[in-house]
Amino acid sequence: MTEPAPLCCGVDARLTDGREIYPRRTDLHHKLLYKCDRCGAYCGCHPGTTKSLGTPANAETRRARSDFHDQVFDPLWKTAVITGGYTVRDEREANRIRKAARNRLYVYLANHLGISRDDCHTGMFTVDQVRRATEILKNVTYPDIRAWHRALYKSKGRAA
């Protein structure tokens, strides 16, 4: 089943592969991507699917998203096992903690950006949203995120 194509410039982006987007990178030729034929923006697909990883982006937007992930977002959730005060028995448990930390971080960011959790993914952000998200997370630690998340669910009468 083919997933719906993401919109760009008011039209559906076209499904293509890495041969078109990365002609000199034979290691990427097998990757599926969506490309906007109007502006040239593109985005990848989840491995083995035609589900878009986000919205097509130009070079500036792709760079902003990538830098945000590498420098701001990923360090917060990837170090949660160490910074979150957890006692971890094995790597399986560590992976579960990192996965939960990543989701908590997206919930926190969605709340502070004023968007739904479903719409809160770096692959969907504009350059302006990346700047706002960077500002929101500038002085935040993972323990701050965890405490905020606990308080949120406590206020809703649910377990965190």
Side-chain angles (χ1 to χ4, degrees):
M1 179 175 103
T2 301
E3 297 285 332
L7 289 176
C8 189
C9 299
V11 297
D12 288 344
R14 173 177 53 85
L15 187 63
T16 186
D17 63 34
R19 289 180 295 230
E20 179 178 356
I21 305 298
Y22 307 108
R24 293 180 186 92
R25 294 280 313 269
T26 56
D27 59 315
L28 300 177
H29 284 186
H30 69 284
K31 298 234 180 239
L32 292 177
L33 301 103
Y34 283 99
K35 179 182 178 186
C36 177
D37 289 324
R38 289 187 177 173
C39 72
Y42 61 89
C43 65
C45 293
H46 288 273
T49 74
T50 58
K51 184 177 180 184
S52 165
L53 284 167
T55 56
N58 62 21
E60 176 189 16
T61 305
R62 287 191 306 276
R63 170 60 59 205
R65 290 173 180 176
S66 178
D67 289 349
F68 174 72
H69 253 294
D70 294 345
Q71 298 166 18
V72 180
F73 190 83
D74 290 354
L76 281 169
W77 69 265
K78 286 183 176 181
T79 61
V81 172
I82 298 164
T83 63
Y86 298 101
T87 302
V88 180
R89 292 182 300 268
D90 56 30
E91 189 57 27
R92 183 175 176 196
E93 188 173 10
N95 285 334
R96 185 185 55 76
I97 290 166
R98 284 189 287 268
K99 184 177 179 180
R102 188 172 187 262
N103 187 59
R104 284 184 186 126
L105 185 52
Y106 270 124
V107 171
Y108 179 90
L109 201 50
N111 180 274
H112 286 76
L113 286 170
I115 60 177
S116 73
R117 169 59 183 97
D118 289 344
D119 291 333
C120 189
H121 193 279
T122 308
M124 300 167 84
F125 286 178
T126 63
V127 171
D128 182 57
Q129 286 174 311
V130 169
R131 287 185 187 122
R132 289 176 45 218
T134 300
E135 189 63 29
I136 289 165
L137 297 178
K138 183 168 59 175
N139 294 312
V140 174
T141 64
Y142 178 70
D144 297 334
I145 303 288
R146 190 174 181 208
W148 175 88
H149 192 262
R150 280 183 172 168
L152 174 70
Y153 279 87
K154 189 175 182 179
S155 73
K156 292 182 178 182
R158 298 188 299 201

